[in-house]
Amino acid sequence: MLVFKFGGASVKDAEGIINLANVVGKYKSEQLLIVVSAMGKTTNALEKLTKAYADQTDDMQAVYEGIKQYHYDIMAELFEPGHPVFDDVANTFVEIDWMIEDEPHDDYDFIYDQIVSVGELVSTRIVNAYLNEAGLKSQWLDVRGYIHTDNTYREGVVQWDKTRDSIKLSLPTQLERSIVVTQGFLGGTSENFTTTLGREGSDYTASIFAACLGADSVTTWKDVPGVLNADPKLFEDTVKFDELTYTEAIEMTYYGATVIHPKTIKPLQNAKIPLLVKPFNHPEEPGTVIKDGAAHVFKKPVIIIKQDQVLLSLSTKDYSFISEDHLSDIFSKFAKSHVKINVMQTSALSFSVCFDYKAEYFSRLLDNLKSDYNIKYNNDLTLITVRHDRDGIVKNLTAGKTILLEQLSRNTAQLVLK
Ligand code: ASP
Ligand code: MG
């Protein structure tokens, strides 16, 4: 049994959905579970809608109409008028209508998950209907009854035992009967509220299902030929890895390679299920295989560039040393503010941390820290991570730049640059 994951870029327009059906059609003889993300940039647009609703701004209806229109335009290209999918999608959007009718009272993260989740609920309705239209028998599955999480909204923590039981109970028989299409990125709480698993979490969804079902492999279909040594949008002569070990893939995603969500690998590694990263426009190409004991010699370094970084330094108000107690307090405040640390460094009197700038989390973080610490920060910085440095690439990348923080270990160099 195979698990496929199609991300937003692969289903961003009617052509993408037709291509998805073509790819799936090549695997007719297999049992297939298909995990789909929201179409194109829908999640960003729904985030904008959530903010507009929470702040009750004037553009709220316009943002919402734009999201609906985008989906209806794609559907108009794929289905005859009167096809039942139009009603299914309209009924799904009603979940947002109900929410935004009243003034916002609930917690922001809760509202976020109830609104943003509609992107995946709608995209899977459309994909499922189109597969059936294309003669590939498929059924739609509401993932919220299968992936159970706690109620940490926007970062749902998977309850593995309950999830495994639900998945094993009915999915194997459903997969014998037809293809199953379900939502990436979403989960459900015990009170039947919707949670999300963290941005770009659909890969993780695919890996949870694969681990629980003992799948033969997971394939994530991408708009690149496989896992590359660097971002092709930033570097010209990138190379594709044919194979990577789970460990190298975990390291790469940990340092910010966006090709796979960081939480994806571990469940697959534990269950020894290979992860294939393949190009959705050339499904016959081998892509990259991530598995145990993969053979790889790094002829080229792995380069990961993260823009829009903040470097923040904390010191105690009385200029005492940064002690273990301070560190534990600082870490818990970062966790509470949902800020993930990319690099950190301690000195006697200060503690420096580099992380992604996200306006709303950043202001939460400053609020949580400012009463106990002196804070200094720079933003608009770049974090460069180079693994397996070859040909002095670190030197080339940093030439002419101001290095604000540098950390070197045997295989990895990390630099924060201005
Ligand atoms: N649609 C969600 C996002 O854009 C999840 C995903 O794409 O994996 O973050
Ligand atoms: Mg996405």
Side-chain angles (χ1 to χ4, degrees), residues 64 68 72 86-101 114 118 122:
Y64 186 28
K68 288 206 256 190
Y72 284 113
F86 287 97
D87 275 346
D88 288 339
V89 167
N91 290 336
T92 309
F93 278 122
V94 166
E95 297 199 24
I96 295 183
D97 295 335
W98 284 338
M99 184 105 210
I100 64 179
E101 229 168 57
Q114 310 319 303
V118 168
V122 167

Side-chain angles (χ1 to χ4, degrees), residues 5 7-8 37-40 43-44 116 120 184-185 198-203:
K5 181 259 171 171
S37 303
M39 294 161 66
T43 305
N44 291 351
V116 167
E120 270 72 13
F185 179 52
R199 284 301 306 264
E200 306 303 328
S202 296
D203 294 339

